[in-house]
Amino acid sequence: MAAGALPGQILITGGRVYDPATGKSRRVDLAVKRGRLVEPESLDRGKTTVIDAAGCLITHGFIDLHAHFREPGREDKETLASGAQAALAGGFTRVCVMPNTEPPIDSPEAVRALLEKSAGLPVEIMVIGAITAGQQGVELAELRAMRAAGAVAFSDDGVPIRNGQVLRHALYYAKDLGVPLINHAEDPDLRGAGVMHEGALSTRLGLPGNPALAEAAMVYRDLLLAADTGGRLHVPHLSTAEAVAQVRAFKAAGAHVTAEATPHHLALTEELLAGYDPMAKVAPPLRSESDRRAVVAGLQDGTIDCIATDHAPHTVEEKEQDMLQAPFGMIGLESAFGLAHTALTEAGLTTEKVLDLLTTGPAGVLNLELQPLQPGAVAELVVVDPAAEWTFGPEHIHSRSRNTPALGRRLKGRVRATLSPHGLYLGH
Amino acid sequence: MTEPTVSLTHLLGLEGVSAADIQILLDTGFTFREVLDRPIKKVPTLSGINVVNLFFENSTRTRISFELAEKRLSADVTNFSVGGSSLDKGEGLKDTVLNIHAMKMDAVVMRHPVPGAAVQLSRFVDAVVINAGDGSHEHPTQALLDMLSLQERFGRLKGLKVGIIGDIAHSRVARSNIFGLLTMGAEVAVCGPGHLIPPQVEALGVSVVPDVDDLLGWADAVNVLRIQRERMGAGLIPSVREYRAGFGLTNERLARHKREIIILHPGPINRGVEIDSDVADSDQAIILDQVINGVAVRMSILYHLLGPRAAG
């Protein structure tokens, strides 16, 4: 819904409010007036949009640390506007966009341009700048100037910084900026031409494998660098048991590191590749069931701080290619809550814990404080129905792209509505 | 007399193909082998059936073998070879599919450099798909001709001990032989440089024998894989002499084993690399039987997969 069409007053009734900022739940109605929470009594008489939240939880809007909105350069896959709609439909009110655009976001001008362009979108776009000029992994980009322009983190995205000294310098250089550096956690040489998890299945299928140790080796190096420099490292999309264990050990030793896991790595496994489906091709790859369980355990015990989508749109044409040519990546915003909630509650986590991993978890990584859901706060809300069982289908996709192996899956837990100061999504 | 029929629609690989189906394909292969020994080698079985040999990768031998098989069965044959360059330009599977639809083909024999290409193609076309090799995944017709040759020589496959020597990791011949032979009750061991043995290959049901001499002491037959020159280019095999010393089927090595071991090779042979010239030309080697059996077993496959269309 466009900003101009937003209702001035909204009342969410009959649900339970779970405030991740306080960890407390209460059965109250929430009222929103002109983008802010107000006392229900203070609503004007007359036109109020009422959202029936019976059986639902209302909480802070989700925050995604890892999305690709492809603007500028590949607007055929996604734009800031289409990505924002997808995010809103997935319950997100803030999204960090990765800098691997064409050209990459590696200057303060580029950061500012992206922020200006995204003003007024239904979700808040937060910009991640490149660590090195042109994502080339050689020369440091203008991290300080980009931070001043509003960048919230730095990453060369899918291109791992191969040269350890470059990342070491960056960690030192950015130390006082208070924002994390994110390095794609795969050793590019060990990963080689791998298109799926290396193991018995890749051997059977004859597809080049990407070994678990490609992730473990890079994560270990990066953790050493973080411990050595005292810099802020955030490890993206953990997918292997080994890497989860390493993060756990370094955290216990006091390193300033945080980590994320994607809905697809915590819910899906390599078995989806058995029929040679390019939709399931992603980097890092979908792993074994024991890796998946290790990722879930990492989320459960706090080793992994949050869920991030790595929403990566690609065109139909690209994903119709063979297993070697088709690009890596899948979209994830619209299915994130359903996939994560299904897999994590099955593993014994509470719905509230899943909501933490989508709200306070990512906020903590970025050192953001979430306002308690009280009158006066900016209205960033999501209404979820934890008991709703549904089949994820193309009709639920708002992204410009449709590349996801989650299509057709039965999910438990669904976003009913999302509110932000500039947007309202009402589902079914 | 009702003829046995196979339960296959396509031949994408030997993984998951039943022993009964493999046996039917081999038995009919023997029948066609006799046809090939006749003065007039042609039968009208697939008259009016359109087959395209779609080769995205060079392979003179496999293509000619298929072409012969198709012509002996009186099918109408179209050859379509796409060089590596146009593949690089993005001539993808999708356009292949559309072309096959447009040409109204009954069957597609496809060789493709990417694993799974035949499986993907079969999801989108009405035509019968026969995999003539998809990257390092499968080469089912090669394995069937290997099995036909072994059965011809030994009279059985069950209980046979078969070794496969070479770059197992990148070999579609190895994978198809493993799947097919295990289904037929044979035992299979693989041997090769450690980094060219694929991870967790034991999960397929084979054993790994690192030493060639140990393998030769155990095996009734060995399948010697061709060493691809590009593996040497990539630095995976240091030198010809080192490979030959470590894994080659040399005269000296075979002389140490008194028992006669039957030797297969999918061709083309690198004489003096993976196999010595004298060994390849010896009575132990059934490499030329494999060639004629290749035509026979491909006739069998075409007959069983396309026969119903021809009859209908």
Side-chain angles (χ1 to χ4, degrees), chain A residues 198-208 275-278 319-325, chain B residues 15 87 93-94 112-116 119-120 123 136-137 175 179 198-201 203-204:
Chain A
E198 180 184 288
L201 186 61
S202 67
T203 286
R204 185 154 75 76
L205 297 173
L207 284 170
Y276 297 95
D277 182 4
K319 279 291 191 181
E320 270 174 349
Q321 298 177 100
D322 61 56
M323 287 301 295
L324 300 188
Q325 288 191 337
Chain B
E15 189 188 6
L87 208 62
L93 280 171
K94 175 87 173 187
H112 198 282
V114 177
V119 177
Q120 285 183 275
R123 284 205 281 263
S136 43
H137 177 220
R175 278 179 183 74
F179 294 134
Q200 299 176 42
V201 71
L204 301 183

Side-chain angles (χ1 to χ4, degrees), chain A residues 309-379:
Chain A
T309 65
D310 196 4
H311 176 84
H314 291 294
T315 63
V316 172
E317 292 77 13
E318 285 175 316
K319 279 291 191 181
E320 270 174 349
Q321 298 177 100
D322 61 56
M323 287 301 295
L324 300 188
Q325 288 191 337
F328 293 94
M330 51 184 73
I331 58 167
L333 287 165
E334 296 97 332
S335 58
F337 177 70
L339 268 182
H341 187 260
T342 306
L344 294 178
T345 54
E346 208 172 86
L349 279 73
T350 60
T351 297
E352 287 81 354
K353 174 69 179 169
V354 178
L355 298 176
D356 288 344
L357 290 166
L358 288 159
T359 54
T360 47
V365 173
L366 296 179
N367 289 324
L368 302 174
E369 269 200 41
L370 298 186
Q371 290 174 283
L373 302 179
Q374 289 169 357
V378 171

Side-chain angles (χ1 to χ4, degrees), chain B:
Chain B
M1 192 185 94
T2 53
E3 249 199 316
T5 54
V6 295
S7 60
L8 299 166
T9 309
H10 308 286
L11 184 67
L12 306 175
L14 289 189
E15 189 188 6
V17 178
S18 70
D21 281 349
I22 290 176
Q23 197 57 59
I24 291 168
L25 292 174
L26 295 179
D27 289 345
T28 311
F30 281 117
T31 310
F32 281 122
R33 177 68 195 271
E34 286 158 27
V35 172
L36 291 172
D37 290 334
R38 288 181 203 158
I40 294 169
K41 302 175 175 62
K42 197 161 174 159
V43 291
T45 318
L46 295 186
S47 174
I49 290 285
N50 292 301
V51 183
V52 59
N53 298 316
L54 190 56
F55 277 64
F56 289 96
E57 215 179 51
N58 286 333
S59 165
T60 316
R61 283 158 180 261
T62 304
R63 193 180 56 71
I64 287 175
S65 180
F66 265 109
E67 199 174 332
L68 265 176
E70 290 148 7
K71 286 179 171 166
R72 297 279 184 257
L73 292 169
S74 305
D76 291 323
V77 182
T78 308
N79 286 309
F80 188 69
S81 294
V82 184
S85 61
S86 52
L87 208 62
D88 293 340
K89 282 173 198 152
E91 159 89 29
L93 280 171
K94 175 87 173 187
D95 290 305
T96 307
V97 172
L98 295 175
N99 276 290
I100 291 162
H101 277 304
M103 292 188 287
K104 303 201 186 309
M105 287 294 161
D106 295 299
V108 187
V109 174
M110 184 169 79
R111 160 70 58 94
H112 198 282
V114 177
V119 177
Q120 285 183 275
L121 182 71
S122 71
R123 284 205 281 263
F124 304 119
V125 296
D126 301 326
V128 169
V129 177
I130 297 172
N131 183 3
D134 60 332
S136 43
H137 177 220
E138 283 225 43
H139 192 353
T141 62
Q142 176 70 44
L144 284 167
L145 75 86
D146 291 343
M147 287 194 281
L148 191 68
S149 305
L150 287 170
Q151 180 149 4
E152 185 179 35
R153 188 73 179 217
F154 291 95
R156 68 190 166 97
L157 292 172
K158 196 174 173 59
L160 213 59
K161 296 186 172 84
V162 182
I164 306 175
I165 306 169
D167 176 1
I168 310 298
H170 298 97
S171 175
R172 51 189 169 226
V173 176
R175 278 179 183 74
S176 285
N177 265 286
I178 289 168
F179 294 134
L181 284 166
L182 292 178
T183 299
M184 299 311 284
E187 291 178 59
V188 181
V190 297
C191 172
H195 60 304
L196 299 178
I197 302 291
Q200 299 176 42
V201 71
E202 294 91 344
L204 301 183
V206 302
S207 48
V208 178
V209 179
D211 188 292
V212 175
D213 288 298
D214 291 344
L215 187 82
L216 293 174
W218 168 83
D220 299 313
V222 291
N223 205 329
V224 184
L225 301 177
R226 170 185 167 77
I227 282 305
Q228 306 281 345
R229 295 278 171 183
E230 59 261 34
R231 302 286 170 241
M232 273 181 252
L236 289 173
I237 293 171
S239 69
V240 165
R241 64 180 180 183
E242 183 149 303
Y243 185 84
R244 180 172 178 272
F247 301 95
L249 234 57
T250 61
N251 293 317
E252 304 79 47
R253 187 164 264 141
L254 271 180
R256 288 204 289 272
H257 296 274
K258 299 215 169 58
R259 227 161 31 90
E260 192 188 62
I261 302 159
I262 295 304
I263 296 160
L264 299 94
H265 191 297
I269 301 173
N270 290 312
R271 288 175 187 262
V273 184
E274 70 269 0
I275 188 167
D276 276 8
S277 213
D278 290 349
V279 175
D281 297 334
S282 71
D283 291 341
Q284 282 174 268
I286 56 171
I287 299 168
L288 294 177
D289 294 336
Q290 287 175 271
V291 175
I292 186 74
N293 285 338
V295 179
V297 87
R298 287 178 176 118
M299 288 174 76
S300 167
I301 293 159
L302 290 160
Y303 170 80
H304 280 289
L305 295 186
L306 287 164
R309 284 191 185 225

